[in-house]
Every structure is written in structure tokens, then in C-alpha cells.
């Protein structure tokens, strides 16, 4: 029986349905995204509240905004607050950690020069900062030849040196010279007033510093008390290259150092504001205070190096969650690290050491409104939220408080939520999918078992082999199994009734037929008119045909009974076939019958008489359809396990719709030619029964070259009785 090929089975449908579970991660992601929006709104409100609180502490305090000249330009000196002390070692590494804000000075800042000066012989970079009570300054000098002044020389201009001019807090003007000494030491001297830059008044011990030679020149670091610094300051580097004449080749400076008017103006942020910020700042934020001209008055906090572990707000997992977390750490965390954007402190902060701030939020605050702004860092690695609140003095905006914070904490919480969510969803999905798959496999197994039982209940010939087992399950498949079993029982009873009908009809009709036959025989002995004898002869012919039909029906029935009781023996199939064919040649002469046998003995386990009867039916069938003057071929072929008995006749081909039904009972395709012999279609049915008794099968197919029909019976041979079988004979 041909099995049905499933195009889309139950398991496939359940897999499709379980695929709908994938919508759960999407819904979870949308939920986390909404949560992130609420967290951002909360962060924005919190930062705005912090900015309002700091601004409230600075309201109506005008002294904090008395910063001297309000017209400071971009060339003036802005003294930044340093977050950590500077080590006076001449290396400048700690300056780089605070940001690269050094200004460069070169040929355009030349104050003095001699005839031998070249533009490439002198330049420097400069930066200043404040920490506590001290001002720190660094100078990275490019000098093609360093000349160190001898400590025995009375003049400070006998070597390379730094000139420092300061406008003191009492409106005075003081100049200093810092000379390079052996071993990296410096010597600081206060110079006399006037234009003479060489006359020393005294040694200045408050100026401390160290210098260090480099490949391009030298580095110089100095420290001075803030109390020495007034509203103006100037720095100039003097270069002496001729060690014999000690002539100054060039002087390059931040400004002139000879008069107070030449000095650059100094802006030092308010230390009082910084103290206020330190008391109010949050450890996760950076706070700025700017004046109305966007200049930074104070700054506290940092956007980097924040510890976000205390802000997660998620308790350590226990139980099953602990197991899931362990699996997540080992397997899923590397995947999450690649898929999810991770928070990082390694981003470019262009405002970390800024002296002026600009932006939409600051402009809004200076116009009198609380303003917030989200922005990406220049390297797109972090998102920064800024909230700016105005600082009021009476009815005038004097500045603004700017509070900044990254979204790293929110991103951390979001990532953790997504990781936990997807880990749990993945576990639930796997368990659910596995459960559905097992459930589908069990249902499919029960259905396949029901199918196999239904197929085993009927053999290839359509006979019942046994009754289907009744399932005790209370579900729909159990109901279907019991329905199939009931149907099979009823079909079994009905087919049994049909199978026994021929025997009952044969038994019941023989007595009436015998009565009719004896009556006709007695009537034949009586004198009858000629017209009456014609009708009597027709009745006798019909009676003979009816008797032939009953005989055929009885033959099939008897054969089924004989097959149940037949004894088996091992015999040579070639001898049986050869003997039968010789008899057919004599019986059906002049019809031509050709025999083809293999050149070896073919042993078969069965009943020789039944094989002879099988061959009788095949020859009768071939004679009925064979064309006149054509040869009927009886052929016996072999392969390693089976013998193939084939009878070929030349004649009309089999209709396609009959090729599979030809061996069924009561099926015939013989054309009616006025023959007196009735044909019930039992001949090939008997062939099928005998073939099945010998463990074989029978089939018919159209034969080409010449056109006709070949009926083949496949019979298993007895291998241990075979002497030496050859390859399967190629059948024409």
C-alpha cells in the first residue's frame, strides 16, 4: 500500500505555532525601551533639580561674581583648577592627564631677537593651573642649544632663562628671572624695577621648580603661591646660544614683561564657588558655574571613572536565577557583549578642562529659563545630559549652573534588564519548545501507530489479518482508534459474508440445477414438436453455462481451502515448467508456445501441483488475448534470491486503470466474442493466491517489441538447494 507523504505535519505546525513565542522577546525589548525612556525622563528631572539646588545656593551673592575686568579676551590667561597635584619633576606627564590645553608660542610672539636668530631655533608651549594655594605653570621649550648659567655668574642673562612679570594685588609690578642650573635645579631671582633685566634684588624662594633636558630642548615646571599673583601676568623665554659672549639671541613670550601694561590679564575662578559645589555636587555628575559671558567660574566632579555598581538597584539572584546567571556568565554574556552597546568611560570629553562653555542649554539658562539638552560625545561613544539653571542676583541673570551626567548608568540598567529578560525568555522558550516538540512527537507517534495498525489489519490482497486494538485513551486520537476498530470489525464481518457467499450459492444452486437438468433430460425423451426442441436445447445450453459458473466459483473456494492444508516439498521448478509446456504444445496445437529456461536447477519450496495449476491459468489467459499466428513465450529467469516465471503474449495492451486490479476476484477485461464459456475473472485471482502461498507475488505489465502483455510471477528460491546460480537472466 502506498503511504501518504506528509507535506505539513503536526510537528511542523506546532513548531510554527511555537515560533509565535518569538514575539515575547520583541515585547520584552519594547518594554525595556519604554523603561529606558522613563529612566531618562527621571534622570532629566533629577539633573534639573540638582541644577536648581546649586543655583539656589548661589542666588543673590554678587561678590561671587566680582571677577575684575569683564572684557577678558581669548588671549588672556585662564587659570584652571587641577584635580590632582602636579609633581615638579620636569616630565609633564601629569599635565597630559589633565587635558591638552597648552598654548603654543613661536615666531609671531617674538619680543627680542639678534641678527643670528633663526625662526626654528626657539618656540614653546605653555599651560597654567591652580590647586589649593598654589599656581602651577609648565613650559615645553624647543631650543636647538641649551646654555646653563653658572651659579658663580652675577648676571642672570648668562644662560637660557624664563622671565616672569606679575602685577601684584596692591597694583605693584614685580619681575623675576628663573635660570637653569646644573642637575635640573632652578634659581629664581627678583629683578630690579626699570628696564634693566639683569640687576638682581634678591633670591626669590617662593618660586620653586625643576627643569629637564629633552631631545628638542627642555621642560620647565614652576610653582608659585597664589598670593603672589595679581590681575596680570606675563611669561617670556630667553634663548642664549653663544657661550662665550652670552648674547641673547631671541626672547619669545606670552606678552611683554617690561611694563605692567604689556602683561596679559589673569582670570582665576572663584575658590568660594568651588567650595559650595563640593558640598552640593553629586558623585555621578559634573557641575559647572559660568558667568554671563560663558566663562567658567568653577567646576567640580567628573563624567568618567564613576562606580555604577551602587546604582544598579538589582539584588543578587538566588536559586534558579543563580543557576541561570551562571549559565549566562559562561555562555550568553559574550554574546550580549557583542550585541548590546556597552557603557564605557573611554570616551572623548571635549569640555573636561574648558574655560568657556557654549550650548543651547547655557544660552537658555542665561536668558532666564531652565533648559536641558542631550548630546553625543564627539566619538559617539557616550550620551551626555546637561541641565542648566540661571543664577539670579535681584532681577538680573549673572550666570548659570550646568549639571552634566552620562547615561551610562541607565545603559547599564537597560543592558542588565535585557540580559536577564532574554536569558529567562530563552530558558522558557527552550523548555516550552522542547515540551511542545515532545508533545507533538507523542501525538505523531500515536497517529503513526494507528496508521500502521490499520495497514496491518488488511494484507496486500485486501484480506483482513486481524482486529485492530482498541485504544483506552480518552482524547480525540483514542476516539479515532476506537472508531477505526469498529469500522474494521464491520468490514471484516461484511467481507467474510461476501467470501462465503460463493460457497453458499454453489451449495444452494446445485440442487435446483440438478432438478432442472433431470427434468430437461426426461423431457428430451418425450416426443416434442421441432419448435419446442429448439427451446429445450437453449435451456440445456444455459444450464451448462450456469453449471460452469458454479464450478469456477467452487474451484476458487476449494483452492483457498486446499492452500490452508497443502503440504510443502522442495522441487525443481524447471522440471515442472518444462513438463507443463510440453503438454500445452500438444493440447493447443497448432498454437506456438516457446520455452526459455536457465541453464541450472531452480529449487522451490512449495507444491508442484499448485505451480502447474498457476501455469495453466497463465497459459489460458495468454491464449485468450494472443493474436493469431503469434508465439506465446514461457520464460523462467533468476537472480540471487528469486525466480521469475513470465508468460508473454502478443496482443492488445492492458488499460492503465486495470493494471493494478487485474488480479482481484471477479475482474475480467475479456471482450465478448460470442463464446459459450463464461469468464468470471477468477483465473488471475487464483494465480495471485498460489503465488502468495509460495511467498511470492504476481504482476502484469505491457510488453513492447513486440507489443503485448507480460504476466510475471516472482517466487523466492531455496538458496541452500541451489548449486550455482548465475546472474539474473535479462528478460526481454
Amino acid at each position: 500500500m502506498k503511504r501518504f507523504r506528509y507535506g505539513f505535519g503536526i510537528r511542523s505546525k506546532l513548531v510554527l505555532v511555537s515560533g509565535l513565542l518569538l514575539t515575547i522577546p520583541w515585547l520584552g525589548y519594547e518594554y525595556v525601551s519604554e523603561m529606558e525612556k522613563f529612566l531618562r525622563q527621571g534622570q532629566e528631572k533629577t539633573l534639573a533639580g540638582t541644577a536648581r539646588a546649586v543655583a539656589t545656593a548661589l542666588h543673590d551673592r554678587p561678590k561671587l561674581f566680582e571677577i575684575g575686568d569683564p572684557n577678558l579676551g581669548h588671549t588672556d590667561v585662564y587659570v584652571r583648577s587641577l584635580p590632582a597635584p602636579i609633581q615638579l619633576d620636569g616630565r609633564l606627564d601629569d599635565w597630559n592627564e589633565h587635558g591638552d590645553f597648552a598654548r603654543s608660542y613661536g615666531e609671531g610672539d617674538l619680543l627680542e631677537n639678534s641678527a643670528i636668530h633663526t625662526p626654528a631655533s626657539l618656540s614653546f608651549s605653555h599651560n597654567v593651573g591652580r590647586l589649593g594655594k598654589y599656581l602651577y605653570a609648565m613650559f615645553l621649550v624647543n631650543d636647538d642649544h641649551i646654555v646653563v648659567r653658572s651659579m658663580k655668574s652675577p648676571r642672570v642673562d648668562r644662560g637660557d632663562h624664563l622671565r616672569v612679570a606679575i602685577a601684584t594685588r596692591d597694583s605693584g609690578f614685580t619681575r623675576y628671572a628663573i635660570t637653569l642650573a646644573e642637575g635640573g635645579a632652578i634659581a629664581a631671582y627678583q629683578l630690579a624695577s626699570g628696564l634693566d633685566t639683569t640687576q638682581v634684588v634678591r633670591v626669590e624662594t617662593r618660586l620653586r621648580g625643576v627643569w629637564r633636558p629633552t631631545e628638542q630642548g627642555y621642560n620647565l615646571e614652576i610653582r608659585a603661591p597664589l598670593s603672589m599673583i595679581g590681575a596680570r601676568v606675563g611669561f617670556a623665554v630667553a634663548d642664549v646660544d653663544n657661550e662665550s659672549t652670552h648674547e641673547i639671541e631671541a626672547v619669545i613670550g606670552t606678552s611683554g614683561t617690561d611694563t605692567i601694561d604689556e602683561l596679559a590679564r589673569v582670570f582665576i575662578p572663584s575658590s568660594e564657588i568651588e567650595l559650595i559645589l563640593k558640598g552640593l555636587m553629586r558623585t555621578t555628575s559634573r557641575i559647572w558655574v559660568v558667568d554671563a559671558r560663558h566663562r567658567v567660574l568653577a567646576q567640580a566632579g567628573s563624567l568618567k571613572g564613576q562606580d555604577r555598581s551602587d546604582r544598579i538597584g538589582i539584588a543578587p539572584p538566588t536559586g534558579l536565577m543563580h543557576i541561570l546567571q551562571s549559565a549566562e556568565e559562561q555562555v550568553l554574556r559574550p554574546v550580549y557583549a557583542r550585541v548590546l552597546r556597552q557603557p564605557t568611560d573611554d570616551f572623548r570629553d571635549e569640555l573636561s578642562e574648558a574655560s568657556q562653555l557654549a550650548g543651547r542649554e547655557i544660552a537658555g539658562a542665561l536668558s532666564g529659563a531652565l533648559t536641558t539638552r542631550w548630546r553625543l560625545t564627539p566619538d559617539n561613544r557616550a550620551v551626555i545630559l546637561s541641565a542648566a539653571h540661571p543664577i539670579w542676583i535681584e532681577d538680573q541673570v549673572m550666570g548659570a549652573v550646568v549639571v552634566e551626567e552620562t547615561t551610562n548608568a541607565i545603559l547599564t540598567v537597560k543592558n542588565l534588564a535585557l540580559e536577564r529578560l532574554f536569558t529567562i525568555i530563552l530558558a522558557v522558550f527552550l523548555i516550552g519548545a522542547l515540551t511542545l516538540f515532545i508533545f507533538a512527537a507523542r501525538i505523531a507517534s500515536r497517529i503513526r501507530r494507528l496508521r500502521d495498525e490499520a495497514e496491518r489489519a488488511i494484507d496486500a490482497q485486501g484480506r483482513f489479518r486481524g482486529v485492530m486494538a482498541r485504544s483506552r485513551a480518552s482524547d480525540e486520537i483514542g476516539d479515532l482508534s476506537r472508531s477505526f476498530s469498529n469500522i474494521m470489525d464491520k468490514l471484516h464481518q461484511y467481507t467474510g459474508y461476501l467470501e462465503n457467499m460463493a460457497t453458499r450459492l454453489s451449495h444452494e444452486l446445485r440442487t435446483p440445477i440438478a432438478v432442472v437438468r433431470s427434468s430437461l433430460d426426461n423431457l428430451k425423451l418425450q416426443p416434442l414438436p421441432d419448435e419446442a426442441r429448439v427451446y429445450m436445447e437453449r435451456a440445456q445450453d444455459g444450464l451448462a453455462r450456469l453449471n460452469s459458473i458454479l464450478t469456477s466459483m467452487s474451484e476458487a473456494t476449494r483452492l483457498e481451502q486446499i492452500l490452508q492444508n497443502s503440504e510443502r516439498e522442495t522441487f525443481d521448478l524447471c522440471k515442472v515448467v518444462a513438463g507443463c509446456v510440453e503438454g500445452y504444445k500438444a493440447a493447443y496445437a497448432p498454437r506456438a508456445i516457446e520455452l526459455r529456461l536457465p541453464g541450472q536447477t531452480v529449487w522451490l519450496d512449495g507444491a508442484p501441483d499448485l505451480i502447474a495449476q498457476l501455469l495453466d491459468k497463465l497459459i489460458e489467459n495468454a491464449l485468450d488475448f494472443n493474436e493469431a499466428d503469434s508465439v506465446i513465450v514461457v520464460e523462467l529467469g533468476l537472480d540471487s534470491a528469486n525466480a521469475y516465471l513470465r508468460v508473454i503474449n502478443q496482443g492488445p495492451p492492458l488499460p492503465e486503470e486495470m493494471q493494478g486490479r487485474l488480479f482481484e476476484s471477479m475482474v475480467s477485461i475479456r471482450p465478448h466474442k460470442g463464446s459459450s464459456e463464461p469468464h468470471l475473472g477468477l483465473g488471475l485471482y487464483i494465480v495471485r493466491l498460489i503465488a502468495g502461498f509460495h511467498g511470492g507475488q504476481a504482476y502484469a505489465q505491457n510488453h513492447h517489441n513486440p507489443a503485448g502483455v507480460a504476466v510475471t510471477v516472482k517466487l523466492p528460491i531455496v538458496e541452500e538447494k541451489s548449486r550455482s546460480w548465475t546472474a539474473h537472466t535479462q528478460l526481454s
Side-chain angles (χ1 to χ4, degrees):
M1 181 181 292
K2 184 177 179 180
R3 298 203 172 192
F4 179 75
R5 294 184 179 178
Y6 296 97
F8 199 60
I10 294 178
R11 280 182 294 183
S12 301
K13 293 178 181 178
L14 285 177
V15 169
L16 178 62
V17 172
S18 63
L20 296 177
L21 294 175
L22 293 175
T23 58
I24 298 177
W26 176 76
L27 293 175
Y29 179 80
E30 290 297 321
Y31 172 77
V32 173
S33 298
E34 289 297 320
M35 179 190 71
E36 181 186 16
K37 292 180 182 178
F38 286 117
L39 289 176
R40 288 197 174 198
Q41 292 174 3
Q43 185 183 27
E44 190 171 354
K45 292 180 180 179
T46 301
L47 248 62
T50 302
R52 182 181 293 107
V54 176
T56 301
L58 300 177
H59 284 335
D60 298 324
R61 303 180 69 171
K63 291 185 179 181
L64 299 179
F65 297 90
E66 294 177 356
I67 56 176
D69 189 350
N71 298 314
L72 288 175
H74 69 279
T75 59
D76 296 311
V77 178
Y78 179 82
V79 181
R80 296 174 181 82
S81 296
L82 299 174
I86 297 295
Q87 299 294 329
L88 298 178
D89 53 10
R91 298 183 183 276
L92 307 186
D93 295 340
D94 38 12
W95 288 92
N96 294 333
E97 294 177 359
H98 302 151
D100 185 12
F101 293 94
R103 292 184 180 180
S104 298
Y105 300 87
E107 194 67 17
D109 303 293
L110 194 64
L111 302 178
E112 301 177 22
N113 67 295
S114 64
I116 61 174
H117 170 68
T118 59
S121 63
L122 181 65
S123 63
F124 71 92
S125 297
H126 164 59
N127 198 0
V128 292
R130 172 177 64 88
L131 182 66
K133 298 179 180 180
Y134 294 97
L135 180 139
Y136 294 84
M138 56 80 69
F139 301 87
L140 192 157
V141 182
N142 294 322
D143 188 353
D144 56 355
H145 183 64
I146 301 175
V147 176
V148 179
R149 166 181 168 268
S150 174
M151 297 298 292
K152 298 179 180 181
S153 174
R155 296 173 57 92
V156 296
D157 59 350
R158 294 304 183 185
D160 296 333
H161 62 280
L162 173 68
R163 298 176 182 177
V164 181
I166 300 174
T168 60
R169 295 177 182 265
D170 56 0
S171 301
F173 175 66
T174 306
R175 295 181 303 168
Y176 301 93
I178 299 177
T179 63
L180 309 182
E182 297 291 343
I186 66 168
Y189 303 95
Q190 180 180 348
L191 303 179
S193 59
L195 298 179
D196 188 0
T197 61
T198 63
Q199 186 176 356
V200 175
V201 176
R202 62 182 179 87
V203 176
E204 181 56 71
T205 58
R206 292 178 298 174
L207 291 175
R208 301 288 182 89
V210 173
W211 75 281
R212 177 184 293 273
T214 63
E215 294 181 358
Q216 292 79 25
Y218 60 92
N219 297 333
L220 174 63
E221 289 182 301
I222 62 174
R223 186 188 72 185
L226 282 175
S227 58
M228 294 178 60
I229 309 300
R232 293 174 177 268
V233 68
F235 300 96
V237 175
D239 181 27
V240 176
D241 284 344
N242 193 324
E243 297 184 11
S244 59
T245 63
H246 297 94
E247 179 183 0
I248 295 178
E249 179 182 339
V251 178
I252 295 177
T254 60
S255 65
T257 58
D258 293 333
T259 64
I260 191 173
D261 295 332
E262 296 179 89
L263 301 182
R265 286 164 291 191
V266 178
F267 178 60
I268 302 177
S270 171
S271 59
E272 186 176 355
I273 295 178
E274 288 188 353
L275 291 176
I276 294 174
L277 294 187
K278 288 181 179 179
L280 296 176
M281 75 174 183
R282 300 170 60 209
T283 58
T284 61
S285 306
R286 180 172 63 188
I287 304 177
W288 307 82
V289 176
V290 298
D291 63 6
R293 296 182 178 273
H294 298 262
R295 295 173 297 188
V296 177
L297 302 181
Q299 181 257 329
S302 175
L303 296 178
K304 297 184 178 182
Q306 301 170 3
D307 182 11
R308 293 183 293 274
S309 59
D310 295 337
R311 296 181 285 121
I312 300 299
I314 299 178
T318 58
L320 178 60
M321 293 300 298
H322 178 70
I323 298 175
L324 292 178
Q325 187 183 37
S326 300
E328 178 185 5
E329 292 290 340
Q330 298 294 329
V331 180
L332 299 178
R333 185 57 57 82
V335 178
Y336 292 148
R338 289 180 175 271
V339 175
L340 300 177
R341 186 170 68 89
Q342 301 297 321
T344 178
D345 288 333
D346 185 18
F347 59 86
R348 180 184 172 189
D349 183 12
E350 77 280 14
L351 300 180
S352 61
E353 298 288 340
S355 58
Q356 286 187 320
L357 294 182
R360 178 175 57 83
E361 75 280 16
I362 297 175
L366 293 178
S367 64
L370 173 64
T371 309
T372 59
R373 179 168 74 107
W374 298 85
R375 76 175 190 274
L376 278 172
T377 57
D379 54 7
N380 295 330
R381 304 189 70 178
V383 178
I384 298 176
L385 170 62
S386 302
H389 193 282
I391 300 174
W392 297 90
I393 296 180
E394 295 182 354
D395 58 351
Q396 183 179 2
V397 177
M398 295 299 295
V401 173
V402 183
V403 183
E404 294 180 317
E405 192 173 72
T406 66
T407 61
N408 284 346
I410 294 178
L411 186 58
T412 300
V413 174
K414 176 186 176 182
N415 287 351
L416 281 176
L418 285 175
E419 291 173 9
R420 295 281 176 85
L421 175 67
F422 283 109
T423 299
I424 295 174
I425 288 177
L426 180 61
V428 172
F429 181 78
L430 290 177
I431 295 173
L434 181 61
T435 303
L436 286 176
F437 181 80
I438 294 174
F439 177 69
R442 184 174 181 272
I443 291 179
S445 175
R446 293 176 61 193
I447 293 176
R448 285 197 303 270
R449 186 165 60 250
L450 180 59
R451 177 204 63 193
D452 295 340
E453 289 179 358
E455 290 183 352
R456 287 194 299 266
I458 301 176
D459 61 12
Q461 289 75 36
R463 296 192 174 195
F464 282 88
R465 293 177 176 174
V467 180
M468 288 184 57
R470 294 176 180 270
S471 175
R472 296 182 179 179
S474 59
D475 56 6
E476 290 81 358
I477 298 179
D479 291 340
L480 181 62
S481 173
R482 289 186 288 272
S483 297
F484 275 6
S485 180
N486 293 333
I487 292 172
M488 289 295 181
D489 290 344
K490 294 178 181 179
L491 287 177
H492 190 192
Q493 296 172 6
Y494 183 69
T495 53
Y497 168 77
L498 293 179
E499 290 174 354
N500 296 325
M501 182 179 290
T503 303
R504 287 196 295 267
L505 285 176
S506 176
H507 177 73
E508 295 294 336
L509 291 177
R510 287 195 183 277
T511 299
I513 289 175
V515 173
V516 173
R517 180 183 293 111
S518 63
S519 298
L520 289 176
D521 290 342
N522 291 331
L523 187 60
K524 186 177 181 181
L525 298 176
Q526 301 296 325
L528 296 173
D530 293 338
E531 295 83 358
R533 288 189 179 278
V534 173
Y535 293 115
M536 187 184 66
E537 290 175 359
R538 289 180 181 176
Q540 287 179 335
D541 290 341
L543 187 62
R545 293 179 63 186
L546 182 58
N547 189 61
S548 178
I549 292 173
L550 292 176
T551 302
S552 298
M553 293 173 60
S554 300
E555 181 183 7
T557 303
R558 288 196 306 271
L559 179 60
E560 294 178 3
Q561 297 173 353
I562 291 173
L563 292 178
Q564 296 176 2
N565 301 318
S566 295
E567 295 183 359
R568 293 178 177 271
E569 61 177 284
T570 302
F571 62 93
D572 184 3
L573 181 59
C574 292
K575 289 183 179 181
V576 175
V577 174
C580 291
V581 171
E582 291 299 324
Y584 301 147
K585 289 180 179 179
Y588 298 111
R591 306 294 290 272
I593 300 176
E594 180 183 346
L595 177 62
R596 300 175 185 173
L597 296 174
Q600 66 181 79
T601 302
V602 179
W603 297 98
L604 200 68
D605 183 29
D609 294 339
L610 294 178
I611 294 297
Q613 187 177 359
L614 176 146
L615 193 55
D616 290 345
K617 298 301 181 183
L618 293 179
I619 292 296
E620 290 176 5
N621 185 75
L623 289 171
D624 288 340
F625 291 94
N626 195 50
E627 294 181 352
D629 300 331
S630 61
V631 179
I632 296 175
V633 178
V634 179
E635 186 178 61
L636 183 61
L638 287 175
D639 64 12
S640 61
N642 299 291
Y644 297 86
L645 179 58
R646 180 175 297 179
V647 177
I648 305 171
N649 71 277
Q650 300 179 27
L654 290 173
E656 291 185 3
E657 66 275 9
M658 294 301 297
Q659 291 187 16
R661 301 182 52 223
L662 197 59
F663 293 88
E664 295 180 3
S665 177
M666 309 295 285
V667 174
S668 177
I669 59 173
R670 287 178 174 83
H672 181 68
K673 298 181 180 179
S675 173
S676 61
E677 291 293 328
H679 298 287
L680 299 181
L682 295 172
L684 293 183
Y685 173 68
I686 293 174
V687 170
R688 190 189 74 181
L689 292 178
I690 296 175
F693 172 76
H694 288 84
Q697 57 183 349
Y699 53 90
Q701 60 192 78
N702 289 325
H703 188 272
H704 305 284
N705 193 25
V709 177
V711 180
T712 304
V713 178
K714 177 182 175 184
L715 300 169
I717 62 176
V718 181
E719 297 183 4
E720 62 269 17
K721 295 292 184 179
S722 299
R723 298 296 184 263
S724 58
W725 54 268
T726 58
H728 176 34
T729 304
Q730 298 296 325
L731 304 179
S732 58

